[in-house]
Amino acid sequence: MNAVITGASKGIGKAIAEKLALEGFNVAICARNAATLEMAKADIQQQNPAVTVLAEVVDMEDKSQVLAFAEKIKFTFPAVDILVNNAGIFVPGSLHEEAEGLLEKLMAVNVYSAYHLTRSLLPAMISERKGHIFNMCSTASYAAYPNGGSYSITKYALLGFTKNLRKELMPHNIRVTAVSPGPTLTASWEGFDAPPDRLMPAEDIASVIWSAWTLAKQTVIEEIMLRPMLGDI
């Protein structure tokens, strides 16, 4: 079994990759920073020395790099059973004050990368009539909030992409799930002044994805929302 997880050098992506490797999946991961990616690869491999871990430096803002990553995946793995479109950038701010070009940047990383990678890997999945695609959305995909800015726009868009994909892939026997976590203990929340247990552990997101995958093949969880006990911050 083979899985692809984007943005997997830390946080939620790494937790998912570690979980899937532990369960016997070969995994392909990517990130921008070569040093953290190499450390993540070693940690994932340690979970299960028997699996293959493909780790590629990819700037998900760059369509050509995303497509090159897809080709490397197809060369390495005969089929992809799980695709987790996790790569994303979180930049808070007001629409009228944020930097020029931020929307385009966040759309490229948070939405277009998932679109292009999915489209490139789908033909084999459709041919095999199997697979599960998880798109990492957010509670920001459902409700606007102060300082959401362009980030919230992109997460609404990713949820829309996921819903369309779900409808399109029904007849092809491919499951599609939107996973929407609230505040999670990752690098995005570094410096947050509160006890760590105010945020959700990344490992919980990985556990939920694993649970969705292990259901009967005719059962699809279309949308998953997770929040800290006290609600979003």
Side-chain angles (χ1 to χ4, degrees):
M1 304 291 274
N2 307 301
V4 177
I5 308 98
T6 63
S9 64
K10 53 189 176 182
I12 292 173
K14 184 184 176 189
I16 294 168
E18 288 181 330
K19 174 63 176 175
L20 295 180
L22 185 65
E23 298 291 347
F25 276 76
N26 301 310
V27 297
I29 62 172
C30 67
R32 287 176 298 173
N33 186 288
T36 56
L37 182 66
E38 195 59 33
M39 289 189 289
K41 179 181 180 180
D43 290 342
I44 294 163
Q45 192 75 73
Q46 191 174 29
Q47 297 294 319
N48 190 342
V51 304
T52 298
V53 181
L54 171 67
E56 294 288 311
V57 175
V58 181
D59 182 351
M60 298 300 281
E61 187 180 353
D62 185 338
K63 177 183 176 180
S64 65
Q65 292 188 41
V66 173
L67 295 179
F69 179 49
E71 292 304 311
K72 189 65 177 286
I73 293 165
K74 289 185 281 189
F75 178 79
T76 306
F77 300 147
V80 172
D81 300 283
I82 294 178
L83 168 60
V84 183
N85 288 307
N86 170 73
I89 300 176
F90 170 64
V91 180
S94 302
L95 292 174
H96 70 286
E97 294 177 329
E98 62 188 16
E100 182 66 31
L102 182 63
L103 175 61
E104 290 84 351
K105 180 180 182 67
L106 295 188
M107 284 296 292
V109 177
N110 297 355
V111 183
Y112 298 159
S113 69
Y115 172 85
H116 294 306
L117 183 60
T118 301
R119 277 169 45 89
S120 186
L121 297 179
L122 263 181
M125 299 173 81
I126 290 173
S127 176
E128 295 283 332
R129 290 189 56 77
K130 66 176 185 176
H132 199 151
I133 299 168
F134 294 91
N135 287 338
M136 198 59 58
C137 299
S138 168
T139 53
S141 299
Y142 293 86
Y145 64 96
N147 270 348
S150 285
Y151 173 77
S152 184
I153 292 172
T154 65
K155 289 301 182 178
Y156 268 95
L158 186 61
L159 179 60
F161 166 58
T162 308
K163 289 184 174 184
N164 277 273
L165 201 59
R166 162 72 177 133
K167 293 294 184 183
E168 286 189 17
L169 296 181
M170 282 181 181
H172 299 290
N173 204 43
I174 297 169
R175 298 188 287 181
V176 180
T177 301
V179 183
S180 298
T184 307
L185 191 57
T186 65
S188 295
W189 288 88
E190 284 180 357
F192 177 66
D193 187 19
D197 62 2
R198 180 64 179 88
L199 306 174
M200 298 182 294
E203 291 76 15
D204 280 2
I205 316 304
S207 295
V208 166
I209 284 180
W210 178 250
S211 295
W213 161 258
T214 57
L215 297 176
K217 296 306 177 186
Q218 68 270 28
T219 304
V220 184
I221 300 179
E222 295 183 328
E223 299 178 44
I224 300 171
M225 184 181 292
L226 306 96
R227 295 182 190 272
M229 177 59 73
L230 297 178
D232 286 356
I233 298 162

